[in-house]
Amino acid sequence: MARILAVGNLVLDVILNVGHFPTEDEELRAHARYLQPGGNAANTLHVLTQLGHETSLVTTLAMDAQARQLSELLTARGLDLSHAQRKLKGDTPTSYILIPENGASRTIVHYRNLPEVDFEHFAKIEIEAFDWLHFEGRNVEELKGMLNIARTFCPDTPRSLELEKPREGIEALLDQVHVLFTGRHYARAMGHADAPACIEALRHKAPQAQIICTWGDQGAWYQAPGGAIEHVPADKVRVRDTLGAGDTFLAGALHRLLEGASLQEAVRYGSQLAARKCRQVGLDNLLDPLPDDLPLANVEDVSGAKATIARVPGRDVSLILIRDGDTVKAYVNNCPHQHVPLNEAYKVDVNPFQKTMKCSVHDAWFKIEDGECVDGPCLGDHLQPYPIRIDEAGNIYAAPEE
Ligand code: FRU
């Protein structure tokens, strides 16, 4: 467990799930609306808290009801807000975010009129109490002073910076940080065709930093000082929501660096965690397995003499798991004769010599190998196969095709 201080904007995210992205002047009904705390550093700390760290956010808070709501939500998540700076003027920063059904994009309209944290405020925080200091790359004039203080008073405490967008004058501060996170957005805005080109350009500004550049579903590139530029591909996953995936990546990488891992291991872990995040909406419970990750059974439990009935977690599907030689076959538990579960009247009997199994309702016999009905009322019909995957330990997982 480490103590991590991050400086950045706390934002109210108003998220609308829509069937498709609207065109100008179109009227559209959203399927769902979520209000949640956002902002890169706040998101990163939320994930770091889940990873077991003590986290503190240095941000500004407006005097409005939204700020109170956000403070409560953040505190409930375990983030410390005691170093937040109150501002009398301005509203809670708000992001209006449209996410279409396929989850592949998120379009954000920002509303910002709240002043950001000033250097004098930061100077009063006892930064010596922290093991890591992280900064959003914004608010350049004030950031300059904050980095200066951090370097002067805690020279050995690692400092990281996220460079999400180009900001006037920020390049001059990059030699003050140990770890520099950037990504596609910044790279493109700076005219770099790819991540390696971006890292090469940044290397001149930050000769001593570990530099990491993420590139969405293409993965991340990184370079330690004096080392080569390396690549870690992204895990291929079924994407539901990418909002905050970059912030999750950053948390994962930072977590492993704090544990003393190599830059490569840190980038790998960040990528895995970001991929895991993309499979769900929001950032809660990122370390828990998703229903698809729970095994249905183990190959050893599926004996030759009987069929095993299993429910696909999180889906209303019942399966027949049945031993077929060394492996296991899975069929949807639905008899094509009268569309009832095969075990509706009794258990599903198996004939090991014929390699068939029987529907308990009207005695239709099906070949285990391919689910064809070879005897009974629905002769020639087939059970519907269901895709499964079996890992090295013999655990059987549902692998639904989307
Ligand atoms: C996601 C996010 C949102 C926020 C926006 C700020 O990375 O932090 O939570 O609204 O980006 O740029």
Side-chain angles (χ1 to χ4, degrees), residues 9 11-15 36-43 94-97 106 108 110 112 136 138 162 164-165 242-247 283:
N9 274 357
V11 177
L12 174 67
D13 284 349
V14 180
I15 302 167
Q36 61 190 36
N40 296 8
N43 288 340
T94 308
S95 295
Y96 299 89
I97 305 172
R106 85 281 184 281
I108 312 184
H110 297 298
R112 305 276 188 269
E136 281 182 10
R138 57 190 316 123
E162 186 200 11
E164 191 187 28
K165 298 176 188 140
T242 59
L243 185 70
D247 310 330
L283 300 174

Side-chain angles (χ1 to χ4, degrees), residues 79-394:
L79 269 81
D80 167 49
L81 271 179
S82 62
H83 298 302
Q85 184 182 14
R86 286 269 163 199
K87 290 281 177 187
L88 290 173
K89 290 219 178 83
D91 311 304
T92 289
T94 308
S95 295
Y96 299 89
I97 305 172
L98 288 188
I99 302 185
E101 204 130 54
N102 64 12
S105 70
R106 85 281 184 281
T107 304
I108 312 184
V109 179
H110 297 298
Y111 174 71
R112 305 276 188 269
N113 72 350
L114 188 72
E116 299 186 18
V117 175
D118 47 59
F119 161 70
E120 285 78 20
H121 175 82
F122 181 83
K124 291 188 207 121
I125 302 171
E126 200 196 326
I127 52 174
E128 295 82 351
F130 293 89
D131 304 306
W132 192 289
L133 304 172
H134 176 70
F135 301 86
E136 281 182 10
R138 57 190 316 123
N139 195 14
V140 177
E141 266 318 298
E142 308 297 313
L143 179 61
K144 194 172 168 181
M146 296 186 214
L147 285 169
N148 205 2
I149 284 211
R151 197 191 42 177
T152 313
F153 291 102
C154 340
D156 299 329
T157 307
R159 297 180 289 278
S160 54
L161 182 105
E162 186 200 11
L163 190 55
E164 191 187 28
K165 298 176 188 140
R167 310 262 182 197
E168 182 138 7
I170 199 154
E171 271 82 12
L173 306 181
L174 303 184
D175 62 352
Q176 312 245 342
V177 297
H178 302 96
V179 186
L180 179 57
F181 291 94
T182 189
R184 185 166 49 183
H185 194 106
Y186 171 82
R188 287 218 174 116
M190 296 300 287
H192 303 303
D194 52 30
C198 181
I199 292 178
E200 263 165 39
L202 286 173
R203 177 54 67 207
H204 301 291
K205 319 266 183 212
Q208 299 308 323
Q210 322 225 51
I211 305 179
I212 303 170
C213 182
T214 55
W215 210 272
D217 62 5
Q218 290 184 34
W221 279 258
Y222 63 91
Q223 187 190 38
I229 298 177
E230 310 273 0
H231 176 222
V232 168
D235 292 358
K236 295 267 169 281
V237 291
R238 188 168 60 95
V239 173
R240 289 199 62 201
D241 172 26
T242 59
L243 185 70
D247 310 330
T248 304
F249 172 92
L250 205 156
L254 216 145
H255 168 66
R256 293 294 285 130
L257 289 174
L258 267 161
E259 286 186 339
S262 68
L263 186 58
Q264 182 190 51
E265 285 164 340
V267 172
R268 279 223 175 101
Y269 184 66
S271 300
Q272 281 164 12
L273 206 58
R276 166 65 185 75
K277 184 268 144 321
C278 289
R279 297 174 60 204
Q280 71 169 46
V281 173
L283 300 174
D284 290 339
N285 306 319
L286 277 181
L287 304 185
D288 292 352
L290 287 172
D292 286 353
D293 298 333
L294 300 170
L296 299 166
N298 190 280
V299 175
E300 297 304 314
D301 310 328
V302 182
S303 80
K306 65 173 185 7
T308 302
I309 313 291
R311 281 220 150 259
V312 181
R315 280 160 217 264
D316 193 19
V317 181
S318 168
L319 296 184
I320 299 276
L321 299 176
I322 178 87
R323 174 73 80 154
D324 183 25
D326 289 345
T327 186
V328 166
K329 286 264 155 62
Y331 295 101
V332 176
N333 183 12
N334 176 50
C335 180
H337 171 218
Q338 288 192 337
H339 298 288
V340 289
L342 273 67
N343 62 330
E344 175 95 331
Y346 187 52
K347 70 182 170 59
V348 178
D349 280 330
V350 172
N351 180 333
F353 305 107
Q354 307 274 341
K355 300 203 167 70
T356 53
M357 61 180 164
K358 187 180 73 166
C359 173
S360 63
V361 183
H362 292 109
D363 296 351
W365 284 92
F366 298 93
K367 279 201 311 197
I368 289 173
E369 186 191 3
D370 60 6
E372 183 189 352
C373 178
V374 286
D375 192 5
C378 49
L379 197 65
D381 282 352
H382 284 81
L383 295 173
Q384 186 192 334
Y386 196 88
I388 51 171
R389 129 187 108 74
I390 303 175
D391 71 11
E392 287 124 40

